[in-house]
Amino acid sequence: MEWTTVETGDGAKLSVRLFKPPASGQEPEPEPGEDVVVVLVHPYTILGGVQGLLRGMAEGVARRRYTAVTFDMRGAGRSTGRASLTGSTEVGDVVAVCRWVAENIKPRGILLVGSSAGAPIAGSAVDKVDEVIGYVSIGYPFGLMASVLFGRHHDAILKSEKPKLFIMGTKDGFTSVKQLQNKLKSAAGRVDTHLIEGAGHFQMEGPAFDAQMVEIIVKFINSLPN
């Protein structure tokens, strides 16, 4: 794995970590620009969200031959700047990291994956970067209380024509299955859902679900058009 720093348009310096597929003498390395890079966006900074929470998923994705990228949004971990209450400023952080990936790694495309509050933030960035070819949400907070903070992000992902997958536990305390289904009725383009029976919101953020998330993410990548 490698560390680097990406500067945003307004001068915040973001700590970024790359997880590359392990070298193998039996498998050829992917050609530059051939594959998809998975950019993961961590949960709510104000409640302690940092990129380290996504390490297990990032390592799992890399073992499946895809480069994964995690980063601390402004005000989190090693990154400079101040976190915003609604995640509006952090959308620029996601865009900056995706543009850095596009310019420096030059993949065929970028898959954006957002966890918890990282899901609405990532969703608002999807159509701001041409290289983003798909989106995965883990526990998108569509519920009434969460919408007070993150409701301004809903339209961006629901109106995007890019393929999107919403993963949610059936016991998510922030969004009910019915709330999710009602929201997605108005979504444009391809929309997939994956419900995990009995799982709560914070359970899915934990390491016990990392392997399952990786399988779902890789399956989604393989379903995307080349």
Side-chain angles (χ1 to χ4, degrees):
M1 61 196 71
E2 302 173 11
W3 292 90
T4 190
T5 301
V6 171
E7 187 166 345
T8 67
D10 62 355
K13 292 179 173 60
L14 309 179
S15 174
V16 179
R17 193 174 192 178
L18 279 69
F19 297 78
K20 294 184 176 180
S24 169
Q26 298 177 2
E27 284 187 70
E29 290 294 319
E31 291 296 320
E34 177 182 278
D35 238 331
V36 173
V37 170
V38 179
V39 174
L40 299 113
V41 183
H42 67 71
Y44 201 28
T45 299
I46 290 171
L47 292 182
V50 290
Q51 65 175 315
L53 296 171
L54 303 172
R55 178 176 175 173
M57 270 194 288
E59 290 176 337
V61 166
R63 284 194 294 270
R64 297 297 298 270
R65 312 299 299 166
Y66 294 99
T67 295
V69 175
T70 64
F71 65 100
D72 288 318
M73 289 187 278
R74 64 187 58 220
R78 302 180 183 183
S79 294
T80 66
R82 179 178 295 178
S84 71
L85 192 63
T86 63
S88 53
T89 317
E90 284 82 347
V91 175
D93 299 348
V94 180
V95 170
V97 171
C98 287
R99 287 181 176 159
W100 182 90
V101 167
E103 292 167 10
N104 291 274
I105 303 178
K106 297 179 173 61
R108 171 172 65 82
I110 296 169
L111 179 72
L112 261 178
V113 178
S115 176
S116 190
I121 293 168
S124 284
V126 163
D127 282 343
K128 295 181 182 294
V129 181
D130 290 342
E131 290 82 2
V132 172
I133 59 171
Y135 165 85
V136 176
S137 137
I138 301 172
Y140 196 116
F142 274 129
L144 190 60
M145 292 300 291
S147 293
V148 173
L149 290 175
F150 305 115
R152 68 193 64 202
H153 296 284
H154 294 179
D155 279 354
I157 191 58
L158 295 176
K159 291 179 179 179
S160 175
E161 295 285 345
K162 294 180 180 178
K164 38 201 169 285
L165 168 64
F166 292 83
I167 306 169
M168 199 185 83
T170 59
K171 291 189 177 179
D172 191 302
F174 291 101
T175 307
S176 69
V177 173
K178 187 174 181 180
Q179 285 172 322
L180 176 70
Q181 291 169 339
N182 285 340
K183 273 291 183 182
L184 298 186
K185 284 177 183 176
S186 64
R190 172 186 163 189
V191 184
D192 296 334
T193 58
H194 187 109
L195 299 179
I196 299 178
E197 190 63 38
H201 184 87
F202 294 109
Q203 276 182 289
M204 291 201 308
E205 291 180 13
F209 282 86
D210 284 347
Q212 189 173 353
M213 296 301 163
V214 169
E215 290 302 317
I216 297 167
I217 289 167
V218 170
K219 184 178 179 180
F220 186 67
I221 292 173
N222 291 335
S223 75
L224 297 174
N226 290 322

